[in-house]
Amino acid sequence: MMHNIALKISSALAVIILLTACDNYLDTNIDPNRAQTVTLEALLAPCIDATSNNHYLAAFTTGQFTQHLASYFPGGTDSYEETRMATTWVGIYLTALTNLDVLVDQAEEQSSPHYAGIGKILQAINLGIATDTWGDVPFSDAFQGENGLTPDYDSQEQIYQTIHTLLDEAITDLQQPTSLFKPAADDLIFAGKLVNWVKVAYTLKARYAMHLTNRDQNAAVSTVLAALPLGISAPTEDLQLTYNTVNRNPWYNNVSSPITTGNFTVGPSEQIISLMNGTYYDVIDPRLPKMFDNQGAAAYSGLTNGLATGGNSRLSVNTWYAAQTAPLLMVTLIEARFLEAEARFLQNGGTTTSVGTTQEAYDAYIAGITAHFAKLGLDPAAYLANTDEVAVGKDNLTLELILKEKYIAMFLNPEAWVDVRRYQYNNTLYRGMELPGNYNNNLNNQFVRRVLYPFDEINRNSASVTPHIKTMEIKMWWEE
């Protein structure tokens, strides 16, 4: 099976090259002369691979904003210096969404709704990463070829409506009784098991509804709790791409493996380490040795964001997330349970400072912790024996504890940055959270909320992009 996956991904990369080689644009343009007859089977694998890689590309930078990660060099991205994430833009638009547009269009033309459904879920995921990174982005006017080389931008509110529409359409497509072509081994995640894709779609509906708690909390919570019973309910249903010794995990390729030759980029931040090593809470988290490599030291410490000082812990090849064959987690049972915990806590009238909730909210909180321990291959019993700051019981549960556990469990997922921004980098909810060293004073003492559009996009599509340009401290639409 692993050999087959290797062949699929290798051929997938060839398809990406075929579809993009003639496209000299790094924005949403499509070369009108590109191949239009690539089979659905050949298209799906590269789109899955690209979507997984885009999670890495986004999280490499956004993880420095959430303070999951810190740079080994002072005064860089984690100091909030001008950040544009051009490679991530290319990964999302050129490598993923361009090919997904072809996949969905061809699937619909070829009476193959099962392929179209998977394609729309992947479109929603990539579009979600894009809008939560830059804000307003192109979509409805994009992918027009020579008829639309300068696409207009959709507002973030429009993009969110589009995401939910794509997910609703995907659910309908995947539940169609017939499909001329059906995914099988080319589906690198579920091997054509469509029910799992449906569950992913419902979990994503819950995720993107939760993003809107600052816009309309009651509506957001209601949507979350309506979607989750139809969403992911077992770890076997997680949307994750497992790598192998031929096609290796991107964290291994770009972070942990280079460390072995002295090429350091990013490492674990003091912030996440301090949440787990007994500094901010009076408990030593058993997940530390799985997630981080402290090179045999007696304790764990992390790099100070913006200063590149301190820290004995690395994201090495021996860590769970950055091993050569580690899976890259995109949408999981872990996230679903923490979404439920937060939604039920808020539904019960919970606030940022209130204490106590329902049994259902507490059970979901414990289930989220348990699911993350299980993913890492660990027994949570010792951790859950701590009744002061972990398994506190429903009457003592706080939003702080829910968000702290979700923050740890969503390590290296760009979704974590959304949570931190929704709660305004609150250092009561996220203990120890503070502005980084060597802070970029142009941001007026504010935390970073977005990144800037890539220069290539500004240069080529100036008229469309200019009205949407905002500086990095300006809040997202869904934050307000």
Side-chain angles (χ1 to χ4, degrees), residues 120-179:
K120 290 173 183 177
I121 291 173
L122 297 175
Q123 282 179 316
I125 292 172
N126 283 281
L127 192 55
I129 296 173
T131 191
D132 293 333
T133 301
W134 288 278
D136 302 342
V137 291
F139 187 75
S140 63
D141 193 41
F143 318 114
Q144 303 286 331
E146 62 183 358
N147 296 318
L149 297 178
T150 56
D152 291 334
Y153 276 50
D154 297 336
S155 70
Q156 188 167 67
E157 182 176 8
Q158 289 175 299
I159 292 293
Y160 266 73
Q161 293 168 353
T162 298
I163 288 171
H164 283 287
T165 297
L166 286 169
L167 294 172
D168 288 339
E169 291 179 357
I171 291 166
T172 298
D173 287 341
L174 291 166
Q175 293 176 333
Q176 292 302 306
T178 60
S179 183

Side-chain angles (χ1 to χ4, degrees), residues 97-385:
L97 288 177
T98 294
N99 291 305
L100 284 165
D101 183 69
V102 177
L103 171 64
V104 170
D105 284 351
Q106 289 188 183
E108 291 178 342
E109 291 169 2
Q110 297 172 17
S111 301
S112 299
H114 296 171
Y115 272 102
I118 295 175
K120 290 173 183 177
I121 291 173
L122 297 175
Q123 282 179 316
I125 292 172
N126 283 281
L127 192 55
I129 296 173
T131 191
D132 293 333
T133 301
W134 288 278
D136 302 342
V137 291
F139 187 75
S140 63
D141 193 41
F143 318 114
Q144 303 286 331
E146 62 183 358
N147 296 318
L149 297 178
T150 56
D152 291 334
Y153 276 50
D154 297 336
S155 70
Q156 188 167 67
E157 182 176 8
Q158 289 175 299
I159 292 293
Y160 266 73
Q161 293 168 353
T162 298
I163 288 171
H164 283 287
T165 297
L166 286 169
L167 294 172
D168 288 339
E169 291 179 357
I171 291 166
T172 298
D173 287 341
L174 291 166
Q175 293 176 333
Q176 292 302 306
T178 60
S179 183
L180 180 60
F181 298 106
K182 300 179 180 181
D186 53 320
D187 173 1
L188 302 178
I189 297 176
F190 297 128
K193 191 172 183 180
L194 301 182
V195 65
N196 287 357
W197 283 104
V198 172
K199 291 184 176 185
V200 168
Y202 276 111
T203 305
L204 286 167
K205 285 184 67 66
R207 169 194 285 183
Y208 290 108
M210 184 63 84
H211 290 188
L212 305 183
T213 51
N214 289 332
R215 303 295 304 184
D216 187 336
Q217 179 174 295
N218 291 336
V221 165
S222 295
T223 302
V224 171
L225 295 178
L228 283 176
L230 301 171
I232 296 171
S233 59
T236 54
E237 299 161 359
D238 288 348
L239 187 72
Q240 61 180 43
L241 182 59
T242 300
Y243 293 86
N244 53 51
T245 56
V246 176
N247 298 285
R248 300 169 296 191
N249 182 291
W251 289 101
Y252 172 89
N253 280 341
N254 301 294
V255 178
S256 66
S257 181
I259 286 174
T260 62
T261 57
N263 295 312
F264 291 85
T265 52
V266 293
S269 168
E270 176 186 36
Q271 174 63 22
I272 188 169
I273 296 289
S274 294
L275 288 174
M276 302 174 71
N277 69 359
T279 299
Y280 296 154
Y281 294 88
D282 191 23
V283 57
I284 305 297
D285 197 314
R287 291 171 287 188
L288 277 165
K290 278 282 189 174
M291 295 173 65
F292 311 112
D293 182 353
N294 70 348
Q295 307 166 83
Y300 289 80
S301 60
L303 288 164
T304 302
N305 283 89
L307 299 179
T309 56
N312 62 15
S313 303
R314 297 177 178 178
L315 197 62
S316 78
V317 297
N318 300 315
T319 58
W320 192 89
Y321 285 91
Q324 187 178 56
T325 60
L328 194 145
L329 311 182
M330 290 177 273
V331 189
T332 64
L333 175 65
I334 299 163
E335 180 183 355
R337 294 289 70 84
F338 283 118
L339 285 169
E340 180 184 1
E342 181 186 351
R344 293 194 181 280
F345 186 90
L346 296 175
Q347 184 187 53
N348 191 54
T351 68
T352 58
T353 58
S354 65
V355 179
T357 190
T358 63
Q359 189 64 48
E360 291 82 3
Y362 181 72
D363 289 345
Y365 160 76
I366 295 296
I369 296 172
T370 301
H372 189 232
F373 269 78
K375 182 67 74 176
L376 300 182
L378 296 172
D379 185 344
Y383 191 61
L384 295 177

Side-chain angles (χ1 to χ4, degrees), residues 21 38 139 145 262 326 422 424 428 437 440 474:
V38 179
F139 187 75
R422 280 197 299 125
Q424 312 302 313
T428 298
N440 178 3
I474 302 299

Side-chain angles (χ1 to χ4, degrees), residues 360-403:
E360 291 82 3
Y362 181 72
D363 289 345
Y365 160 76
I366 295 296
I369 296 172
T370 301
H372 189 232
F373 269 78
K375 182 67 74 176
L376 300 182
L378 296 172
D379 185 344
Y383 191 61
L384 295 177
N386 185 306
T387 57
D388 293 327
E389 294 183 315
V390 182
V392 297
K394 70 179 183 65
D395 293 334
N396 296 304
L397 187 63
T398 61
L399 185 61
E400 175 192 349
L401 288 175
I402 294 171
L403 294 177

